[in-house]
Amino acid sequence: ITAGHHGNEPAGPLAALEFLRRYADGQFTTDFSITIFPLVNPDGYMLNTRENSHGVDLNRQYDDPAEPEILSLISSLDSRDYIAAIDMHEAPRYDRGFFIYESTPTGEDIELGKIMVQSVGEYYEIAPRGNNGVVRYDRPNCCRDFWHRRGSYAVTPETPGAFELDDRKNMHIISLESAISYLEDIYL
């Protein structure tokens, strides 16, 4: 789980921290080992900018990483296989609903994005994008593409910037918990 590639998108980091709190308090349990990077771009977060303090969009650094934040993230990963990668983002203010970018599956299509969108859709509006809120889109050089090339099922939930911060955070939490529960049903 990654969040905060763009410092001006606070819902993902807040959701990651809330997810960790719920997990620590026993409100959410899983048999999976989960790796979480709750704030990839701390300088951008403090400056409320998309880019880091060097003016670089960290989510466009994965093919030839040069920025310390991405080099650190990549070097901290071990050699184990990751089933899925969830990279939390926020869409622009004009977006009025939740949606997910999903990489084209490298293996069996488990439709993880569909499950996540359906779970959020029980409480919030879904954007009229892609196939009922799931957009299959492979973007070179981004975090989702990095995980996709490693063979992981990769999704990017996008919460709508037009919604209040608490709602955006809750959308991410709902999508995270539904994704992990769904993956447990399939793989455990």
Side-chain angles (χ1 to χ4, degrees), residues 7-183:
N8 60 347
E9 298 176 7
L14 294 172
L17 294 174
E18 176 65 16
F19 175 80
L20 284 169
R21 186 193 64 73
R22 289 181 184 190
Y23 182 75
D25 290 348
Q27 295 175 36
F28 183 82
T29 60
T30 181
D31 290 327
F32 277 127
S33 176
I34 299 174
T35 303
I36 301 176
F37 297 93
L39 185 56
V40 175
N41 183 2
D43 290 342
Y45 188 82
M46 294 300 295
L47 297 169
N48 192 33
T49 61
R50 179 179 177 92
E51 297 82 12
N52 70 357
S53 60
H54 302 133
V56 176
D57 183 340
L58 296 179
N59 200 31
R60 303 296 182 269
Q61 276 284 299
Y62 282 87
D63 283 350
D64 188 23
E67 293 301 304
E69 299 93 337
I70 302 306
L71 291 168
S72 176
L73 186 152
I74 291 171
S75 70
S76 71
L77 299 171
D78 55 29
S79 61
R80 71 182 143 167
D81 292 328
Y82 289 83
I83 294 169
I86 300 168
D87 182 32
M88 297 184 285
H89 283 266
E90 294 185 58
R93 290 234 166 255
Y94 58 79
D95 270 305
R96 298 285 318 156
F98 178 86
F99 67 97
I100 287 190
Y101 287 119
E102 180 175 58
S103 292
T104 305
T106 56
E108 177 186 357
D109 187 355
I110 61 171
E111 298 186 324
L112 181 60
K114 178 181 174 182
I115 296 301
M116 296 168 74
V117 166
Q118 287 174 345
S119 295
V120 171
E122 293 179 23
Y123 305 96
Y124 294 100
E125 185 176 344
I126 301 303
R129 289 182 174 227
N131 184 6
N132 297 313
V134 178
V135 180
R136 286 274 168 92
Y137 178 58
D138 297 326
R139 177 189 280 279
N141 204 22
C142 75
C143 181
R144 188 176 69 251
D145 181 62
F146 168 80
W147 287 105
H148 181 249
R149 285 178 295 163
R150 286 181 60 134
S152 298
Y153 203 85
V155 295
T156 302
E158 296 269 0
T159 60
F163 282 58
E164 293 295 324
L165 179 58
D166 279 346
D167 289 323
R168 299 189 319 261
K169 178 183 81 171
N170 288 334
M171 288 179 206
H172 277 310
I173 292 168
I174 292 166
S175 70
L176 277 177
E177 291 180 352
S178 68
I180 293 166
S181 295
Y182 181 66
L183 291 167

